Amino acid sequence: MSETLSIIVIETDRDRTRVIVDSLRDAGFSDIQVIPEIAGLARRISESNPDLVLVDMASPSRDMLEEMALASGPLERPVAMFVDRSDGSLTKAAIEAGISAYVVDGLKPSRIGSILDAAVTRFHMMHRMRVELETTRRALEERKLIDRAKGLIMKARGVDEDAAYALLRKTAMDQGRRVADVAQALVTAAGLLT
Amino acid sequence: MSGAPVSAGFIPLVDAAPLIVAREIGFAEEEGIDLTLRAAPSWSTLRDRLMLGQIEAAHMLFPMPVAAALGLGGIGARLDILMVLSLNGNSIGVSRRMAARMRAAGYEFDFADARRAGEALIAATEGRLRVGVPFPYSMHAELLYHWLGSLGLRAPQDLDVHTVPPPLMAEAMAEDQIDAFCVGAPWGSIAVETGVGELLLPGSAIRARAPDKVLAVRHDWAEAEPVLTRRLMRALWQAGRWLSRPENRTTAVELLAQRAYLDLSAEMIERALSGNVVISPRGELRRVNDYMTFHGGAAGYPWTSQAALVASRLAGRLGLDRASSIAAAGAICRTDLYRANLADLGADLPAETARIEGANTVPQTVAGLNGEVILPPDAFFDGWIFDPEA
């Protein structure tokens, strides 16, 4: 395993970046550069001329890398996506983890395996954490919204909390909408009227 | 929802409408499929998901499956074009600085005459023109290269072409990375609305009825799942017909604007579907007939000659063998499935699988399997034609 392999990681999230870079360092790679912004991506990559580029599949900047792949001669010198095309399982694992790697210059695919192994595991973990966080955050926001809507109904109708919630739920069911959406509509309408 | 599950990927653009309508208005359910839609963050990710079997079908740039057939991009799985989902729908925009120079030189933004617009743009360009396109293999790129190439630039050699994902196009212009772009709706309107650009032309001014997006599936999937393929095609064909009716426009706009789909202002989406396009931050309005087309005049028919046209141009730029590229591209256009699966719905079914592209300046009546088919004008602005046999 060569430590001189140069790797660029494109990632805007600072926490994710740290985890990925750490895992690559642990795997024995030291020449790692992080590009946090999409602006000027192609220029910065071509200036650095790395052996490998790792990019989050959820990033729209992936399409910019396709352009670079094209520019470097798509047939003679394939700028391979992920790893060896014959290694379907690793490619699949990488895609499922939401990571894609571009080999920028004739790098032997066998040398990428360990990089991806390390990165894929981390990406999986980070992705799961991100989904959990997002779900929790949304649930909290919706809870707050529903509480405000309940408060409005209690005040306007002089009913207790349970009755207010029952009314919200019934309205949502009748209209085929989510309780949170009905609550949002009510809070917005109330805001307009006061 | 009930029925056999089929998952399809899309990029949040107005022309993803047939998939969204097929699901939301219930055409998919009527055909017995439970259509799940999944937005993709980029064209390359969408293509990879499709090739690896994470999704069964995708809303895709017309040249992408063609490029894949030539061995360009992705992991090498063969993709088939089942049908064309939409024609045109792009706009070309310029930065406000470029627009000011063009206006100072006496150009009036008519949003119609491609020759005059192109000449004005070339005259106002200092140094190399920097243009943004959403993907290297896109009709956006092909239209731009043809247009500027016809007017004397060597395209793409004389251009600085940047790949910019549609949601970032306005930002790239604001940051002075590009002078012009060609992008799908509603992102041109968003550049106008955010005050960074003005619209110069609709894509339809460069070529009428240029195919833009297709329904792509893995060849292996279409072969292994003929029943699901049939149902999916029927649902989408009916969604296209529904979208073509003006009385459905408001509903379509509201559906598309939802958070799960485009998550953008309904007004921006409406401009594309109605063809009433605001071209500058000063609010100048231009009316474009057939700004974006989903149905009628065999719009969905996957002419092999259209794929041949794209393949011929890609082969020319990248130094590939022209004849074998054209053959490979034609083979992925499933006119056979289009005929077999849509005949009883009353779809226009031309008797031929190929034609001379760009040859119609007036509507032309051709023989069809379901009776005669009227093909609307499909000419390029400069009268260029493509004969796949030549």
Side-chain angles (χ1 to χ4, degrees), chain B residues 355-366:
Chain B
R355 59 172 175 164
I356 297 178
E357 294 287 329
N360 292 356
T361 50
V362 293
Q364 186 201 6
T365 306
V366 298

Side-chain angles (χ1 to χ4, degrees), chain A residues 2 15 22 38 50 56 61 74 83 86 91 94 110 162 165 177 186:
Chain A
S2 160
D15 292 338
D22 285 352
I38 287 170
D56 184 349
S61 57
V83 266
S86 61
T91 303
S110 56
D162 287 346
Y165 187 67
R177 295 161 70 189
L186 181 63

Side-chain angles (χ1 to χ4, degrees), chain B residues 147-161:
Chain B
W147 173 51
L148 296 172
S150 166
L151 297 173
L153 281 187
R154 285 179 311 150
Q157 302 91 314
D158 289 347
L159 302 171
D160 275 346
V161 182

Side-chain angles (χ1 to χ4, degrees), chain A:
Chain A
M1 182 61 56
S2 160
E3 280 82 40
T4 57
L5 209 61
S6 65
I7 302 171
I8 283 189
V9 178
I10 301 166
E11 176 58 64
T12 47
D13 182 298
R14 199 180 294 173
D15 292 338
R16 266 161 71 87
T17 304
R18 201 173 50 232
V19 172
I20 295 158
V21 170
D22 285 352
S23 67
L24 290 173
R25 289 232 165 85
D26 291 348
F29 302 98
S30 53
D31 186 359
I32 304 162
Q33 196 190 341
V34 176
I35 300 184
E37 293 147 24
I38 287 170
L41 188 66
R43 182 179 47 79
R44 293 186 60 178
I45 291 177
S46 61
E47 279 168 8
S48 308
N49 193 24
D51 298 306
L52 184 77
V53 180
L54 293 177
V55 57
D56 184 349
M57 274 187 83
S59 165
S61 57
R62 258 205 76 192
D63 282 347
M64 299 179 182
L65 297 177
E66 290 283 320
E67 169 190 301
M68 299 185 55
L70 180 66
S72 73
L75 291 182
E76 311 83 58
R77 196 153 52 96
V79 180
M81 212 197 54
F82 312 112
V83 266
D84 189 349
R85 285 187 189 196
S86 61
D87 188 352
S89 63
L90 187 49
T91 303
K92 206 163 174 202
I95 288 211
E96 275 161 10
I99 182 179
S100 55
Y102 284 77
V103 183
V104 173
D105 205 351
L107 179 69
K108 287 264 185 313
S110 56
R111 295 172 66 194
I112 311 165
S114 61
I115 304 177
L116 275 188
D117 271 345
V120 161
T121 319
R122 295 297 176 164
F123 262 69
H124 257 315
M125 204 174 72
M126 293 305 288
H127 177 70
R128 211 168 47 235
M129 280 169 61
R130 192 160 57 170
V131 169
E132 280 167 13
L133 196 69
E134 173 63 18
T135 313
T136 317
R137 191 185 57 77
R138 200 162 50 214
L140 272 175
E141 273 174 15
E142 291 186 346
R143 184 79 54 79
K144 271 194 291 190
L145 205 59
I146 292 169
D147 281 345
R148 283 176 64 194
K150 275 195 295 195
L152 288 166
I153 295 173
M154 288 160 67
K155 210 166 128 194
R157 294 209 165 199
V159 295
D160 66 8
E161 189 174 343
D162 287 346
Y165 187 67
L167 186 63
L168 265 181
R169 237 186 42 192
K170 182 176 183 316
T171 310
M173 273 170 63
D174 289 349
Q175 299 186 359
R177 295 161 70 189
R178 296 168 58 243
V179 172
D181 292 339
V182 173
Q184 169 80 65
L186 181 63
V187 169
T188 308
L192 286 173
L193 295 173
T194 51

